[in-house]
Amino acid sequence: MVDRAKPGEQTRTPLPGPRQPSLADVAGMAGVSHMTVSRVVNESGPVRPETRERVLAAVQKLGYRPNTAARALVTGRSGTLGVVALESNLYGPASTLYGIENAAREAGYGVAICSVTRPGRTSIGDAVESLRRQAVEGIVVIAPHVTAGRALAAAPADIPLVAVGGGETAPVPVISVDQYDGARLATEHLLSLGHRTVWHLAGPEDWLEARDRERGWRETLERRGLRVPAVVRGDWSPRSGYEAGRALVGKRGLKAVFSANDQMALGLLRAFTEAGIRVPEDVQVAGFDDVPEAEYFTPPLTTVRQDFIEVGRRTFGLLEERMAGGDAGARHLVAAELVLRESTRAR
């Protein structure tokens, strides 16, 4: 049904919203040509200092905002970086993304994010292509999964690209926290308290970080000639840690547990409490990540801290090298740090 005006009535035309100031408005106020304004806002050519000051004053007074797409055509630069990220609320991936965004912002870049629900060759490739269509200057792929690391082999060679995670065989520059050494630190700390072995609550097998943490734990025990207990595996969630804890209750010689992340350690602590097992008096527990809540667990959790701000800074630095045509190298590690709290207090 179409509404029509009755005889004698006047139709009302919606009032337009406030018009955004244009490049022509800036040129008129500054008393210069369109080309001069374009050179100033795009930093694309020589302009006398006094003229530049006049243009910038007009830009500020009018509140002019340059058109990003037009600017990219003029300068060949969009001022935007792309990030392919796993759609996840897990602390590690979310904090990695924040660290990268923070570093890019500080350097004056915008960030376009393309999320994938299930990392794989097709989904990663589609995400990279989507970002390329947005004229990003470089791309970071957060690749914590085995499949995501393999997908990097098909990454296009005509755009600068680096990965966070991605494994040792990734064909692009990779930066990550030293997961292996973090696991070694936690395991050696528990052994230093007099334990004959350390049990491990591992993360999912298809996560690269889980694999590195498990390897760091296992090889630390093997180097000392100690028994390597069977791995109990979770999915990073507190619930899986709780279920693993219930499975561990009653195991002979259970005195120390290294959990591959803090959330699973939280569930583990709950299961032990329900079973009447005291931490740290009966069993000592260490985690990984140092989530903000870890110091408020009962008891406060000994854990391995990852410096995600440093990861972001180093990732952006590698991408800058790539964008400048340099060789950013193969693999770069950020040190992990052991944080001691009550869950491993010496008895």
Side-chain angles (χ1 to χ4, degrees):
M1 178 177 174
V2 178
D3 290 330
R4 300 183 184 277
K6 296 179 180 178
E9 288 184 341
Q10 293 183 341
T11 58
R12 292 184 177 181
T13 302
L15 293 174
R19 184 177 70 84
Q20 294 298 313
S22 67
L23 188 139
D25 296 327
V26 175
M29 176 173 283
V32 297
S33 68
H34 295 53
M35 185 62 71
T36 299
V37 176
S38 177
R39 286 175 180 165
V40 172
V41 298
N42 293 313
E43 300 179 355
S44 59
V47 178
R48 288 186 298 177
E50 59 271 23
T51 302
R52 181 181 299 277
E53 287 180 13
R54 251 191 359 261
V55 170
L56 292 177
V59 165
Q60 184 174 9
K61 186 171 183 178
L62 291 171
Y64 171 73
R65 295 291 181 270
N67 181 296
T68 304
R71 181 173 181 172
L73 288 173
V74 172
T75 65
R77 298 183 58 189
S78 64
T80 304
L81 305 179
V83 179
V84 178
L86 177 66
E87 194 173 274
S88 170
N89 60 0
L90 290 171
Y91 180 72
S95 299
T96 299
L97 177 58
Y98 170 77
I100 293 167
E101 284 187 289
N102 185 68
R105 253 194 330 267
E106 287 184 351
Y109 282 88
V111 176
I113 301 169
C114 193
S115 299
V116 295
T117 53
R118 295 185 63 83
R121 182 164 183 165
T122 300
S123 59
I124 297 293
D126 289 347
V128 168
E129 188 57 35
S130 174
L131 290 169
R132 290 177 70 191
R133 289 197 297 268
Q134 298 178 52
V136 298
E137 295 184 37
I139 296 175
V140 177
V141 178
I142 301 176
H145 280 75
V146 174
T147 51
R150 291 172 182 162
L152 294 171
D158 61 346
I159 185 166
L161 190 148
V162 300
V164 180
E168 297 181 0
T169 61
V172 300
V174 168
I175 186 165
S176 64
V177 172
D178 195 336
Q179 310 291 332
Y180 179 94
D181 194 58
R184 178 192 64 79
L185 289 171
T187 306
E188 287 188 346
H189 167 63
L190 289 167
L191 292 174
S192 74
L193 300 173
H195 300 300
R196 296 181 178 179
T197 192
V198 176
W199 294 70
H200 183 44
L201 171 49
E205 286 186 283
D206 60 345
W207 280 67
L208 294 163
E209 294 173 346
R211 290 186 174 192
D212 286 344
R213 294 171 196 178
E214 181 179 340
R215 187 167 58 88
W217 158 79
R218 183 183 304 278
E219 292 183 4
T220 299
L221 294 179
E222 290 174 345
R223 278 193 298 271
R224 295 187 175 218
L226 300 174
R227 179 173 70 92
V228 180
V231 167
V232 182
R233 198 169 298 281
D235 63 7
W236 299 130
S237 71
R239 175 175 290 279
S240 71
Y242 175 76
E243 292 170 351
R246 294 183 64 182
L248 286 170
V249 169
K251 293 288 186 183
R252 187 175 179 180
L254 180 70
K255 295 296 182 182
V257 182
F258 164 48
S259 173
N261 82 333
D262 293 347
Q263 293 298 322
M264 292 193 298
L266 175 61
L268 189 74
L269 293 174
R270 171 67 181 271
F272 284 171
T273 298
E274 288 183 354
I277 296 173
R278 300 168 302 166
V279 177
E281 291 83 0
D282 301 322
V283 177
Q284 296 176 323
V285 176
F288 205 110
D289 278 341
D290 194 25
V291 299
E293 301 83 5
E295 63 180 314
Y296 301 103
F297 287 4
T298 303
L301 185 67
T302 289
T303 185
V304 177
R305 177 178 295 160
Q306 304 191 72
D307 189 343
F308 292 108
I309 296 300
E310 177 65 11
V311 169
R313 188 186 68 79
R314 297 269 296 273
T315 301
F316 177 75
L318 289 179
L319 190 57
E320 270 196 319
E321 286 185 48
R322 296 277 286 176
M323 291 190 298
D327 180 6
R331 193 160 188 245
H332 306 260
L333 294 175
V334 174
E337 175 190 1
L338 183 66
V339 180
L340 300 180
R341 297 194 180 103
E342 294 299 304
S343 68
T344 62
R345 187 183 70 242
R347 291 170 296 184

